[in-house]
C-alpha cells in the first residue's frame, strides 16, 4: 500500500489556487511551483458567445521543454516532439500539425482481457472522472482510475543549465498498483512514431516534397533500445548541402531513440520493436508483460530522445540522470533552481503567474545550431505551424523579460539577433529553414529601434557593460567578418539614420512596415513607400534613446571601454534624439494623443481615431510632461480601453470591409506586444494604474471573463479579438482561413511582456 500512500500524499500536496473554471484550475505542486489541473472533458468544444463552434484545437496544448527540445503535450496524453535546433520540424508528425504516440494497456484478470487506450481522444484520458491530468513546470501527469488498478503516467523534461546545452529528450514513467484482491496480468505497448516533417512542408504532400527521408531502424534487445536514423535524398543534387550551409531544407535530420530503462524481471517479458506507421514513418516501442499481485506496484521508465549530431549519446546522458527507484516526475529540484524565487511576493496571483511565465520562456527558448545562440521564438503560428522564424523585433522583446530572470539567456537572445545583422546595420526580417534569411515581403523600419531598446535595458538591468566589447559575426556567417556589439550598434544607427531616414515632417520613415506588418493591407504600398512616416517609430526614439545614451555614458567610465567610439555614438544618438523631439512635439502640438502615421506630406492617419502604437511609447518618453501623460492616459481609457476585458485594443475605430475583420489582428485586436509597453508607460506616472492594467492582462482575468475558452488560461496567442467583434471577443484572431486558430497558443509575447512589466513596475513603484 506504499504507492497508494504516496499518491494520496501527492494529491494532498497539490494545493488549489485561484477560482476554478469549466476548463480547470491552478494548483501548487509539491515544490510550490505552479501547475494546471485540466478538468474539462475531452474533446473540448470552443464556441463564440453566440454558440457557434470555432476551429480551435479540441485537445488542449501544454508545453514541456528546454533549449534543445520543444514538447507539446495534449490534454489527452498525445504529444508532439518538435525540434528547432536546426530548423523547425516535427519528429513524430501525424497530420494536421499533430504528433503520434500510443500507450495501450491490456489487463487480464480471471482469464478475461480488458483493453484500455491510455492516450488520445476517445481514450481513458478524455474522461476527468477516470483520469486526473496535471501539467506543471517540466512535467505532465496522468493518474488513471481503472477497475482495481491505479495507473500513473508521467512525462518529465529536464531544464537546460546553460544557453547552448540541455538534453533533447524526455522521460516517460508508468506506475501500476494493483488495488484489487486478485492477481492481474498486464500487457503494455508504449511507443512513439518516427515521422520527420519540416514545418515549412507540412501542407505539401509527402510525395511532392523536394527532400525525401529513408527510415533506417535498428533494434537492440539486450540494450532495450530502438533507434531510427533518417537518410535524406533528393532528385535535385543542389538541395542537400553541408551541415553548416544556409538552406531551406534539412540535410541532417536528427535520429530518434527509444530506450527502455526497465529490464524484465523473472516472470516478466519485454520486447523492443519497430512497426510501420499507417501513413508513413516507423513506430519505435516496447511491449512489456508482467504479473502484478494484490497490493503490489511496478514502475517502468523510458527515455525518448533526439540525437541531432553524429557521435552524440544524448539518450544515455539523460538516462543516467534518472533514478529508477525514484518517484516521477523527475528533475524537480533542477526546475526550482532554474526559475526565479518569488518567495517575497505576497500576492499569490503574481507569484503563480510570474513563475509560470518564466517557466514558459525557459521551455520555449531554443538553441540554434547555425548561429550558435539560444533565443526565444515568437512561437504560435510562425514557428510551430509555418516554420517561419520571425521577427527579430519579437526576439528582442522576449529578451527584456529574461534580463531579470536569466541574464545569460538574455545575452544569447541579443547575440542571436546581432549575428543576423549585415555590415550595413540591416537586420533581415525572417529565417526560413537553416540560417536562410529573407525580408519576405517586408522592408521594416523598426528592427534597429527594438535592438536599441533591448540592449539599453540589458545594460541597465545587468550592468554587464563588457557586453559592448563582445564580438559576433555579421551576415553572411561564412565570411567570418566580426564586430563588437558597440560597433554593431553604431552600424544599426547608421542604417536607421541613412537607409530608413526621415520623411517630410522630420519623423522616422515607415518604409512598408513598422510594428504593424499590415499597415498597408488596404492601401497601395508603392505610392507611399518613400514618403510615409511612422509616429510609432518616432515615439520609440523618444522613449528608447535616452536610456541607451545613459547606459553608453556609464559604460564609457568602465575600464577597457572603447571610449572614443562610445562618445561618438552617444553624441550621434543625442543629436538624432534632439531633432526628433523637435519634429515630434511640433507635430503633436496641443493634441491629447499622437497621430499614427503620415502617408505623405499632406495625408495623415489617426487624427481623430486613436491607435495605441505611438501612445505606448510616448507615455514612456522621459521628457513628455507628467500632466500631458496623465491626459493621454485618460484618452486611452476613454477611446481604446473602455469595455475591453483584457487591455486596450490596437485602434479606436477599425476599418470596415478591410482585409481583417473589424476588431481582429492589426485592425483593432488586443495585442500583448502593444499592451505591455502601455503598462510600462502608465507605470511611469501612476504605478498603481499600471498594476491594475497588468492584472487585467493576466491569465487569471482571462479565465474569469472567458471561463469556457482554454486558449488564454495558461498561455495565449499574440493577439485576442476585442469587444468590437461581439461574440468573437477574447478568441484568437480570424483571417487567413482560420490559420491563427490552428495553433492558438504559446506565443512568447503574453509571457515575456507580463514578466517584464512585473519587474519594471516593481522598480517604478519604489
Amino acid at each position: 500500500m506504499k504507492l497508494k500512500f504516496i499518491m494520496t500524499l501527492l494529491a494532498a500536496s497539490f494545493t488549489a489556487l485561484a477560482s476554478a473554471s469549466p476548463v480547470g484550475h491552478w494548483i501548487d505542486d509539491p515544490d510550490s511551483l505552479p501547475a494546471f489541473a485540466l478538468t474539462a472533458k475531452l474533446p473540448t468544444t470552443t464556441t463564440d458567445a453566440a454558440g457557434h463552434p470555432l476551429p480551435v484545437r479540441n485537445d488542449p496544448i501544454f508545453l514541456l521543454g528546454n533549449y534543445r527540445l520543444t514538447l507539446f503535450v495534449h490534454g489527452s496524453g498525445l504529444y508532439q516532439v518538435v525540434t528547432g535546433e536546426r530548423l523547425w520540424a516535427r519528429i513524430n508528425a501525424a497530420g494536421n500539425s499533430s504528433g503520434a504516440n500510443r500507450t495501450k494497456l491490456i489487463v487480464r484478470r480471471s482469464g478475461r482481457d480488458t483493453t484500455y487506450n491510455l492516450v488520445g481522444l476517445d481514450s481513458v484520458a478524455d474522461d476527468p472522472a477516470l483520469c486526473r491530468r496535471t501539467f506543471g513546470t517540466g512535467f505532465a501527469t496522468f493518474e488513471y482510475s481503472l477497475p482495481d488498478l491505479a495507473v500513473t503516467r508521467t512525462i518529465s523534461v529536464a531544464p537546460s543549465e546553460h544557453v547552448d546545452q540541455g538534453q533533447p529528450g524526455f522521460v516517460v514513467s508508468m506506475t501500476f498498483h494493483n488495488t484489487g484482491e486478485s492477481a492481474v496480468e498486464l500487457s503494455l505497448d508504449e511507443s512513439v512514431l518516427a515521422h520527420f516533417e519540416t514545418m515549412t512542408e507540412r501542407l505539401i504532400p509527402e510525395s511532392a516534397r523536394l527532400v525525401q527521408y529513408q527510415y533506417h531502424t535498428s533494434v537492440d534487445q539486450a540494450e532495450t533500445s530502438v533507434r531510427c536514423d533518417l537518410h535524406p535524398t533528393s532528385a535535385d543534387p543542389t538541395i542537400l548541402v553541408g551541415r553548416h550551409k544556409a538552406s531551406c531544407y534539412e540535410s541532417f535530420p536528427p535520429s530518434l531513440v527509444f530506450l527502455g530503462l526497465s529490464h524484465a524481471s523473472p516472470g516478466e517479458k519485454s520486447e523492443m520493436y519497430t512497426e510501420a506507421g499507417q501513413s508513413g514513418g516507423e513506430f519505435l516501442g516496447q511491449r512489456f508483460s508482467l504479473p502484478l499481485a494484490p497490493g503490489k506496484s511496478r514502475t517502468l521508465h523510458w527515455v525518448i530522445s533526439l540525437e541531432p549530431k553524429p557521435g552524440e549519446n544524448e539518450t544515455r546522458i539523460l538516462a543516467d540522470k534518472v533514478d529508477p527507484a525514484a518517484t516521477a516526475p523527475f528533475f524537480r529540484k533542477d526546475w526550482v533552481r532554474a526559475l526565479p524565487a518569488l518567495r517575497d511576493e505576497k500576492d499569490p496571483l503574481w507569484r503563480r503567474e510570474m513563475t509560470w511565465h518564466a517557466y514558459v520562456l525557459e521551455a520555449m527558448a531554443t538553441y540554434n545550431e547555425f548561429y550558435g545562440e539560444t533565443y526565444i521564438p515568437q512561437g504560435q503560428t510562425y514557428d510551430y505551424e509555418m516554420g517561419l522564424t520571425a521577427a527579430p523585433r519579437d526576439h528582442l522583446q522576449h529578451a527584456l523579460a529574461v534580463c531579470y530572470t536569466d541574464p545569460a539567456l538574455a545575452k544569447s537572445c541579443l547575440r542571436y539577433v546581432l549575428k543576423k545583422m549585415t555590415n550595413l546595420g540591416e537586420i533581415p526580417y525572417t529565417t526560413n529553414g537553416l540560417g536562410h534569411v529573407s525580408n519576405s515581403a517586408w522592408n521594416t523600419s523598426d528592427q534597429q529601434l527594438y535592438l536599441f531598446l533591448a540592449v539599453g535595458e540589458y545594460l541597465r538591468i545587468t550592468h554587464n557593460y563588457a557586453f559592448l566589447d563582445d564580438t559576433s559575426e555579421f551576415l553572411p556567417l561564412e565570411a567570418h567578418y566580426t564586430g563588437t556589439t558597440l560597433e554593431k550598434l553604431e552600424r544599426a544607427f547608421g542604417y536607421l539614420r541613412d537607409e530608413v531616414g526621415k520623411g517630410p515632417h522630420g519623423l522616422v520613415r515607415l518604409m512598408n512596415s513598422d510594428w504593424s506588418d499590415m499597415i498597408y493591407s488596404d492601401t497601395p504600398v508603392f505610392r507611399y513607400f518613400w514618403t510615409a512616416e511612422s509616429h510609432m517609430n518616432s515615439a520609440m526614439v523618444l522613449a528608447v534613446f535616452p536610456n541607451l545614451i545613459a547606459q553608453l555614458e556609464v559604460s564609457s567610465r568602465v575600464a577597457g571601454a572603447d571610449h572614443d567610439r562610445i562618445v561618438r555614438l552617444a553624441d550621434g544618438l543625442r543629436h538624432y534624439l534632439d531633432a526628433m523631439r523637435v519634429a515630434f512635439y511640433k507635430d503633436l502640438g496641443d493634441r491629447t494623443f499622437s497621430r499614427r502615421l503620415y502617408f505623405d506630406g499632406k495625408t495623415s492617419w489617426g487624427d481623430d481615431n486613436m491607435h495605441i502604437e505611438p501612445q505606448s511609447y510616448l507615455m514612456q518618453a522621459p521628457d513628455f510632461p507628467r500632466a500631458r501623460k496623465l491626459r493621454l492616459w485618460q484618452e486611452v481609457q476613454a477611446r481604446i480601453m473602455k469595455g475591453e476585458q483584457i487591455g486596450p485594443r490596437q485602434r479606436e475605430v477599425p476599418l470596415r470591409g478591410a482585409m481583417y475583420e473589424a476588431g481582429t489582428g492589426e485592425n483593432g485586436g488586443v495585442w500583448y506586444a502593444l499592451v505591455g509597453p502601455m503598462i510600462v508607460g502608465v507605470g511611469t506616472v501612476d504605478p498603481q494604474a499600471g498594476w491594475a492594467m497588468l492584472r487585467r492582462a493576466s491569465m487569471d482575468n482571462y479565465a474569469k471573463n472567458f471561463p469556457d475558452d482554454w486558449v488564454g488560461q495558461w498561455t495565449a496567442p499574440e493577439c485576442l479579438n476585442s469587444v468590437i467583434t461581439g461574440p468573437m471577443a477574447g478568441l484568437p484572431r480570424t483571417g487567413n482561413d482560420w490559420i491563427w486558430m490552428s495553433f492558438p497558443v504559446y506565443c512568447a509575447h503574453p509571457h515575456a511582456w507580463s514578466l517584464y512589466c512585473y519587474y519594471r513596475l516593481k522598480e517604478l513603484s519604489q
Side-chain angles (χ1 to χ4, degrees), residues 644-663:
E644 295 290 349
Q645 300 99 325
I646 305 302
R649 61 182 176 269
Q650 180 264 340
R651 70 179 70 172
E652 182 180 355
V653 181
L655 296 173
R656 300 290 173 175
M659 177 178 175
Y660 284 114
E661 184 178 343

Side-chain angles (χ1 to χ4, degrees), residues 392-401 450 515 617 673 749 752-753:
R393 74 163 75 94
D394 292 347
H395 310 143
L396 292 164
Q397 291 173 77
H398 306 156
L400 297 174
Y450 281 97
W515 171 89
Y617 288 97
H749 295 348
W753 272 108

Side-chain angles (χ1 to χ4, degrees), residues 525-667:
V525 177
F526 191 74
R527 177 181 177 184
Y528 300 115
F529 182 81
W530 298 104
T531 59
E533 297 166 281
S534 168
H535 286 74
M536 179 182 187
N537 287 350
S538 305
M540 282 193 75
V541 172
L542 304 186
V544 170
F545 274 39
N547 178 55
L548 181 59
I549 292 170
Q551 299 310 314
L552 289 173
E553 290 175 339
V554 172
S555 71
S556 69
R557 298 190 288 271
V558 175
D562 188 343
H563 183 270
D564 292 342
R565 175 164 258 158
I566 291 173
V567 171
R568 183 170 68 246
L569 177 57
D571 286 346
L573 292 170
R574 189 178 295 104
H575 177 76
Y576 188 93
L577 172 62
D578 290 343
M580 191 57 59
R581 282 183 179 134
V582 172
F584 190 93
Y585 290 134
K586 178 182 178 181
D587 183 77
L588 182 65
D590 59 0
R591 294 171 53 84
T592 55
F593 65 91
S594 170
R595 297 180 174 93
R596 174 62 177 94
L597 61 88
Y598 280 107
F599 285 110
D600 55 29
K602 298 180 180 179
T603 311
S604 61
W605 199 30
D607 289 80
D608 300 314
N609 182 10
M610 177 184 280
H611 292 63
I612 189 176
E613 295 97 322
Q615 326 309 331
S616 295
Y617 288 97
L618 182 57
M619 287 289 293
Q620 295 184 50
D623 65 337
F624 191 51
R626 173 182 169 81
R628 297 197 67 176
K629 284 188 178 184
L630 291 172
R631 178 58 182 153
L632 174 56
W633 170 224
Q634 291 176 343
E635 291 280 296
V636 167
Q637 295 175 82
R639 290 177 177 267
I640 58 176
M641 199 166 171
K642 186 177 182 181
E644 295 290 349
Q645 300 99 325
I646 305 302
R649 61 182 176 269
Q650 180 264 340
R651 70 179 70 172
E652 182 180 355
V653 181
L655 296 173
R656 300 290 173 175
M659 177 178 175
Y660 284 114
E661 184 178 343
T664 72
E666 289 94 334
N667 193 20

Side-chain angles (χ1 to χ4, degrees), residues 14 69 94 297 646 736:
F14 280 82
L69 174 74
S297 302
I646 305 302
N736 297 90

Side-chain angles (χ1 to χ4, degrees), residues 447-459:
Q447 307 291 334
Q448 292 71 23
L449 292 169
Y450 281 97
L451 177 65
F452 298 153
L453 166 63
V455 171
E457 282 296 85
Y458 175 79
L459 296 175

Side-chain angles (χ1 to χ4, degrees), residues 100-111:
N101 58 285
R102 64 189 179 200
T103 305
K104 184 178 180 180
L105 177 67
I106 300 175
V107 180
R108 171 169 288 187
R109 191 185 298 270
S110 301

